[in-house]
Amino acid sequence: MLQTSFIRENTSLVIERLKKRNIDATTTVNSIIVLDDKRKKTQQELDSLLAESNQLAKQIGDLFKSGNTDEANKLKNRTTQIKEQSAILKEEQNNIAVELQQLLYTLPNLPNEIVPNGKSAEDNQNVYENNPIPKLHANALPHWELAKKYNLIDFELGVKISGAGFPVYKGKGAQLQRALITFFLDRAIAAGYDEIMPPLMVNEASGYGTGQLPDKEGQMYYMPADDLYMIPTAEVPITNIYRDVILKESDFPIKNVGYTPCFRREAGSYGKDVRGLNRLHQFDKVEIVQIQHPDKSYQTLDEMVEHVKGLLNQLELPYRILRLCGGDMGFTSALTYDMEVFSAAQEKWLEVSSISNFETFQANRLKCRFKDSEGKTQLVHTLNGSALALPRILASILENNQTENGINVPKCLVPYTKFDSIN
RNA sequence: GGAGAAAUGGCAGAGUGGUCGAUUGCGGCAGUCUUGAAAACUGUUGUACCGCGAGGUACCGGGGGUUCGAAUCCCUCUUUCUCCGCCA
């Protein structure tokens, strides 16, 4: 959520930057300013009424004490008047606040200056590409066939137990999955991240804190009996650790890593994009989160991209890095890099990580602040990224490393799997 | 799930209708003393909003109510603790 004060002071910048998202925010921004003016005016009136009422209450108290009940009762008349007036103003103030809040919720984050203009994924900027695309043998199979052939993943069994999008990992498939999780966690810990195992269900306040609510309400599984949401990513519970927290400057950078299953309804998805492991309702992900000083957050973003590059390099997967264009960026992000691996049998790029700087957008909702060197309280910057999302990594490992005789396990995983090939 | 107790500032812990944004202790910060440090002493130390400022308003777990006036009384929700029951 953008700050009202920021919108007031940078009106034209806000409108200009949101054009990168192909949004004309002029009307909304103007309404926000008008409403904010109204809010200020109402508060001034209300405050002075309450000030008078506080004064009177003191006087009445004194009068009662000195036995001057007649005079006290006279003043009471005035206070009842004030009460009525202030009740009206208070309601008005509440209404304004709600309306203002709703408008603010509709505005996405401002894209950073370097975010390319564009409407869709086709306009994303390719900023890095690595590792040659492997040449597969003539009978190469897509990962869902390989998973079946080597008894690694049972999709039909998942349908029986839960439904489509809930695969069952078996045998070496399950072990490979577990190896990847541990590998990713170990690498993050080595890079200075603290491991967190958070709850997998969160309350409404947490959903609002990181911006899943109200924007992506339908994407999360919701349990009405207990008013809880299944997490769509570890970002939600981990970042919400810092909700309503005032940090010290010396706390920076806060680096957390967490492995969690992630749950997504993926309403509206269908077709061949959902084949196999490409798009699931439940999947595993290791997420890195950082809370950083505003001056250093972009440096941190680069550092996080480097970290993920390191993982992909070790896994020896062909990948590319995209700088997302305004039209393809998430609601809460100021700058996002997507990492995609090439899935050789499907012959397409699969997104395996999305690394974003949210600047103060989440922090404003979370009320996560710090005291700067002058003792002033200001909002922190939050960042996060997948490091990494498992299913598509697994898919590309299976596809890219297949030979006529089986599948080779990447060297960096062998210490974890204790086997170096699947056949 | 049943019964009872509780929730106050970074922490501990007073406060049961007005003089309370809140005694005190610890911690934090600044200073005095010291070659330096410790100790001691002095001062300072919550958040948000409004206001150029003086200053004002709100907040004692959340929401509502009683009252001229609520941290304090009432209702409700949440959470924590103790006991009982059940259970991985």
Side-chain angles (χ1 to χ4, degrees):
Chain A
M1 193 164 66
L2 299 173
Q3 295 172 90
T4 315
S5 57
F6 182 85
I7 295 173
R8 295 189 77 105
E9 285 156 27
N10 306 280
T11 311
S12 51
L13 177 80
V14 169
I15 291 169
E16 201 52 43
R17 282 288 173 81
L18 287 177
K19 281 185 187 158
K20 278 186 185 288
R21 290 186 182 266
N22 314 305
I23 291 170
D24 181 6
T26 316
T27 322
T28 312
V29 163
N30 289 338
S31 309
I32 285 170
I33 291 169
V34 169
L35 264 178
D36 193 45
D37 286 337
K38 244 167 98 183
R39 180 189 63 86
K40 287 185 184 181
K41 211 178 130 240
T42 315
Q43 192 187 330
Q44 275 170 34
E45 285 173 41
L46 182 60
D47 281 359
S48 60
L49 268 180
L50 292 176
E52 191 187 344
S53 154
N54 286 343
Q55 278 294 322
L56 285 171
K58 250 177 227 165
Q59 283 177 36
I60 291 168
D62 291 341
L63 287 171
F64 272 126
K65 248 180 243 168
S66 58
N68 197 342
T69 25
D70 287 351
E71 196 61 28
N73 284 323
K74 241 189 237 170
L75 291 183
K76 273 195 186 179
N77 289 335
R78 175 62 186 147
T79 57
T80 38
Q81 253 179 38
I82 291 177
K83 247 178 135 175
E84 283 166 19
Q85 285 179 42
S86 62
I88 294 167
L89 278 173
K90 199 156 188 185
E91 204 191 322
E92 203 176 314
Q93 202 194 27
N94 284 341
N95 291 341
I96 292 169
V98 169
E99 213 179 318
L100 191 57
Q101 183 84 311
Q102 277 168 353
L103 279 178
L104 287 168
Y105 276 145
T106 64
L107 287 182
N109 201 359
L110 298 192
N112 183 283
E113 219 178 338
I114 65 166
V115 168
N117 293 315
K119 290 202 159 40
S120 69
E122 282 157 35
D123 303 312
N124 294 335
Q125 228 169 51
N126 194 338
V127 295
Y128 186 86
E129 198 160 329
N130 183 25
N131 290 350
I133 288 163
K135 283 234 163 23
L136 299 183
H137 58 89
N139 303 319
L141 298 170
H143 68 268
W144 52 88
E145 301 285 353
L146 292 165
K148 193 169 205 163
K149 181 174 172 188
Y150 296 107
N151 196 25
L152 302 173
I153 306 167
D154 195 329
F155 292 99
E156 288 77 22
L157 192 53
V159 170
K160 172 186 167 186
I161 301 170
S162 303
F166 294 92
V168 177
Y169 300 88
K170 298 161 87 174
K172 284 188 173 176
Q175 290 170 53
L176 194 52
Q177 183 87 347
R178 186 157 49 81
L180 280 164
I181 292 165
T182 316
F183 169 66
F184 292 149
L185 283 172
D186 283 356
R187 285 296 316 269
I189 291 163
Y193 290 87
D194 280 332
E195 186 176 351
I196 302 276
M197 266 201 185
L200 306 182
M201 299 186 203
V202 295
N203 56 28
E204 195 183 31
S206 295
Y208 275 96
T210 32
Q212 278 70 27
L213 295 174
D215 185 43
K216 293 190 210 154
E217 170 112 53
Q219 275 295 354
M220 286 189 288
Y221 286 98
Y222 173 60
M223 279 148 298
D226 298 286
D227 203 15
L228 290 169
Y229 296 85
M230 302 290 290
I231 59 167
T233 157
E235 163 196 351
V236 180
I238 292 178
T239 312
N240 271 282
I241 292 172
Y242 307 98
R243 172 153 50 85
D244 291 318
V245 168
I246 299 181
L247 299 163
K248 296 191 291 270
E249 216 162 341
S250 57
D251 292 332
F252 294 130
I254 291 178
K255 301 173 80 172
N256 287 151
V257 61
Y259 152 70
T260 68
C262 301
F263 304 90
R264 298 187 183 180
R265 296 187 60 228
E266 301 293 354
S269 299
Y270 59 91
K272 64 176 159 55
D273 282 349
V274 304
R275 196 83 197 264
L277 294 171
N278 289 349
R279 191 174 293 276
L280 301 170
H281 288 306
Q282 177 183 327
F283 64 95
D284 294 302
K285 182 157 65 68
V286 172
E287 182 82 0
I288 49 176
V289 172
Q290 290 211 37
I291 314 278
Q292 183 55 288
H293 190 287
D295 293 347
K296 293 186 187 148
S297 66
Y298 279 96
Q299 197 182 314
T300 297
L301 183 66
D302 291 342
E303 178 205 300
M304 290 166 77
V305 170
E306 284 307 311
H307 177 76
V308 176
K309 272 169 80 172
L311 299 177
L312 293 169
N313 286 336
Q314 276 197 281
L315 290 169
E316 299 174 90
L317 291 171
Y319 67 97
R320 63 180 186 183
I321 303 177
L322 304 173
R323 181 183 290 146
L324 294 195
C325 74
D328 201 28
M329 240 175 29
F331 189 83
T332 52
S333 174
L335 180 61
T336 298
Y337 290 101
D338 270 10
M339 318 285 271
E340 297 186 334
V341 297
F342 194 77
S343 209
Q346 296 186 76
E347 293 183 6
K348 62 180 182 188
W349 294 96
L350 301 176
E351 181 194 330
V352 293
S353 177
S354 192
I355 307 165
S356 303
N357 188 352
F358 305 99
E359 298 191 3
T360 60
F361 194 85
Q362 288 183 331
N364 189 32
R365 288 196 187 183
L366 291 162
K367 293 200 177 60
C368 179
R369 293 157 294 174
F370 73 101
K371 286 231 193 272
D372 64 21
S373 47
E374 286 160 20
K376 258 184 69 185
T377 311
Q378 52 170 306
L379 294 170
V380 302
H381 280 193
T382 62
L383 305 100
N384 69 49
S386 348
L388 285 157
L390 278 273
R392 294 174 188 164
I393 290 287
L394 189 58
S396 55
I397 287 175
L398 297 182
E399 291 186 13
N400 293 355
N401 296 358
Q402 63 181 302
T403 66
E404 303 273 11
N405 309 316
I407 298 163
N408 296 320
V409 174
K411 284 191 225 49
C412 63
L413 291 181
V414 175
Y416 295 97
T417 54
K418 316 279 200 302
F419 54 82
D420 58 9
S421 66
I422 298 167
N423 42 38

